[in-house]
Amino acid sequence: MIIRPKVRGFVCVTAHPDGCAAHVREEIDYVRGKGRLENGPRNVLVIGSSAGYGLSSRIAAAFGSHANTVGVYLERPPAEGKPATAGWYNMAAFEQLARNEGLYAGSVNGDAFSTGVKKEVIDLISRELGSVDLVVYSLASPRRTHPETGWTHKSVIKPIGRSFTDKTVDVDKGIVHDVTLEPASQEEIEDTVAVMGGEDWELWIRALAEANLLAPEAATLAYSYIGPEVTWPIYHNGTIGGAKADLLHRAQRIEDLLKPLNGRARVSINKAVVTQASSAIPVVPLYIAILFKVMKAKGLHEGCIEQVHRLFADRLYHGGALEFDEEGRIRLDEREMRADVQDEVARIWKEVTTGNLTELSDIEGYRNEFLKLFGFGLAGIDYERETDLLVPAR
Ligand code: NAD
């Protein structure tokens, strides 16, 4: 089958197996190029490992630190005439490449919020690894079925308290327009916390601790974002920000739980990058397109793999004490938040329109990154060639 990108709103409903594999290899090459990480993690569980920050975390652990990894994700496999989701191809490629390297790479494709998947992962770790010394929690999901109540909570991206109007961009059409978002109801606020907050992270760590699968000094991380004030009504002060505040609160409880092991639980504040999750948030893609323009011009640009490599090499496993901000969070967003970067972004934000979008922002770079998430636009891939959808069968 010849596979072409089919973009529908903020998703691409097709994915290219060879392109996804090339994307995974690109991240592996980056990590390899940085050299072997001494004292890095040995056995790592990544929850949400098939895309974005979770994928880069799995790659940085395996190829930067020679770690065995278990990945959990929710992806659709290929069917006759229908490509798999990109994450499924990413994981197929990762597993193959990790095994070629002599590394253990086990995966569970299922709902990470469920008790059944937690049990499956626990069985896998106890059988194959014995314990894990790092657990990365990198889920981004629109819904969660609660394991006890059976209720399905849906997360919303809305402001809290009052409505909000600002610029956003239709990435595909290149149109800058205003968007108004009505404030979330109390129920929507609570639902978003139930999905994107820290309850499930805590359930995972409790389950692993009860099964005695956490190594001494085990660390666990969850990812979050703060960003500049222009995004605050929709992010930091909105429903998603409420969920992230819960994540931080849970980190403290999890760290208390890990005290007997001398373990650590931290939230890492990462920079804004193009992922399937971030492209679904209004306002944010326009901000990212402008941010890319400014950070690239200043030689500061980073994607997921550069961020996670820095997280491992300069923060978690650099051999010294772990540095936090005043709220105990690891900060990887210091380049994005530099005053000169944000002043420039704020100036452009006021001026940007449909007419000057290409000139004032890196919308082209944004589009390329977006398509790359689905395996399109990678060098060395012949997109005109008939492609086998069922990769592992090859
Ligand atoms: P992503 O969309 O690229 O990846 C999400 C992952 O979650 C995928 O592996 C997917 O399979 C998995 N997943 C979703 N629902 C699942 C389920 N029910 N069961 C199992 N797996 C499931 O997302 P991302 O942008 O990398 O986000 C990961 C984390 O990083 C989030 O907490 C996000 O808030 C945070 N973060 C993102 C950005 C950004 O700009 N994208 C910035 C800072 C922090």
Side-chain angles (χ1 to χ4, degrees), residues 5 59 85 119 127 143 182 184 228 233 240 264 282 325 352 383:
I59 289 173
T85 50
K119 282 207 179 96
R127 208 170 53 235
R143 69 187 69 82
E182 294 307 323
I240 185 79
R264 293 170 295 177
D325 68 6
V352 73
Y383 289 99

Side-chain angles (χ1 to χ4, degrees), residues 47-55 72-75 87 108-114 117 137-144 196 222-226 235 240 244 247 268-279 284 288 304 307 336 373:
I47 303 158
S49 65
S50 56
Y53 273 119
L55 172 64
V72 186
Y73 49 87
L74 187 61
E75 301 290 352
V108 174
N109 185 7
D111 181 8
F113 296 127
S114 71
V117 161
Y137 188 83
S138 188
L139 290 185
S141 174
R143 69 187 69 82
R144 170 181 174 220
M196 288 299 288
Y223 296 142
S224 184
Y225 180 66
I226 297 176
Y235 200 100
I240 185 79
K244 294 300 186 186
L247 203 64
S268 173
I269 306 292
N270 299 355
K271 82 175 275 283
V273 289
V274 183
T275 65
Q276 292 189 48
S278 68
S279 54
V284 168
I288 294 180
C304 291
Q307 281 267 293
E336 173 180 355
L373 298 177

Side-chain angles (χ1 to χ4, degrees), residues 128-145:
E128 303 291 345
L129 301 179
S131 66
V132 287
D133 48 82
L134 175 65
V135 181
V136 176
Y137 188 83
S138 188
L139 290 185
S141 174
R143 69 187 69 82
R144 170 181 174 220
T145 300

Side-chain angles (χ1 to χ4, degrees), residues 17-297:
D18 300 339
C20 288
H23 188 193
V24 168
R25 278 197 303 273
E26 225 179 71
E27 293 206 2
I28 292 173
D29 289 346
Y30 175 83
V31 168
R32 279 209 178 110
K34 292 283 174 184
R36 176 82 179 265
L37 185 64
E38 298 303 329
N39 312 315
R42 303 265 60 90
N43 294 318
V44 179
L45 168 62
V46 182
I47 303 158
S49 65
S50 56
Y53 273 119
L55 172 64
S56 298
S57 304
R58 196 173 189 191
I59 289 173
F63 292 90
S65 179
H66 224 68
N68 300 308
T69 58
V70 169
V72 186
Y73 49 87
L74 187 61
E75 301 290 352
R76 191 193 64 233
E80 211 40 59
K82 194 170 181 197
T85 50
W88 193 89
Y89 288 131
N90 289 342
M91 288 293 88
F94 171 87
E95 284 159 24
Q96 189 60 55
L97 293 163
R99 285 173 196 149
N100 291 351
E101 202 79 0
L103 298 170
Y104 176 78
S107 294
V108 174
N109 185 7
D111 181 8
F113 296 127
S114 71
T115 308
V117 161
K118 289 187 178 68
K119 282 207 179 96
E120 212 179 310
V121 171
I122 280 171
D123 288 349
L124 188 65
I125 294 173
S126 62
R127 208 170 53 235
E128 303 291 345
L129 301 179
S131 66
V132 287
D133 48 82
L134 175 65
V135 181
V136 176
Y137 188 83
S138 188
L139 290 185
S141 174
R143 69 187 69 82
R144 170 181 174 220
T145 300
H146 198 282
E148 280 158 26
T149 62
W151 183 258
T152 299
H153 301 272
K154 292 192 179 129
S155 69
V156 296
I157 295 169
K158 288 190 175 182
I160 293 177
R162 55 191 150 126
S163 67
F164 159 70
T165 302
D166 209 335
K167 290 176 188 177
T168 193
V169 66
D170 178 325
V171 173
D172 205 26
K173 300 195 178 96
I175 295 173
V176 178
H177 60 93
D178 274 358
V179 62
T180 297
L181 294 149
E182 294 307 323
S185 65
Q186 189 55 33
E187 196 183 345
E188 286 174 321
I189 296 170
E190 286 164 16
D191 276 338
T192 307
V193 172
V195 180
M196 288 299 288
E199 185 189 23
D200 183 61
W201 181 26
E202 190 176 339
L203 288 174
W204 268 102
I205 302 302
R206 278 192 192 282
L208 290 161
E210 277 162 20
N212 267 327
L213 294 180
L214 296 173
E217 299 187 7
T220 183
L221 295 174
Y223 296 142
S224 184
Y225 180 66
I226 297 176
E229 283 183 32
V230 64
T231 63
W232 280 14
I234 191 68
Y235 200 100
H236 190 56
N237 293 338
T239 47
I240 185 79
K244 294 300 186 186
D246 181 67
L247 203 64
L248 192 60
H249 160 72
R250 301 276 179 168
Q252 189 53 57
R253 289 170 49 132
I254 297 170
E255 191 150 290
D256 290 345
L257 181 85
L258 296 180
K259 277 222 171 88
L261 295 168
N262 202 15
R264 293 170 295 177
R266 293 290 153 171
V267 167
S268 173
I269 306 292
N270 299 355
K271 82 175 275 283
V273 289
V274 183
T275 65
Q276 292 189 48
S278 68
S279 54
I281 307 176
V283 180
V284 168
L286 181 58
Y287 166 72
I288 294 180
I290 297 171
L291 182 74
F292 275 16
K293 174 96 173 175
V294 174
M295 291 186 80
K296 282 180 184 174

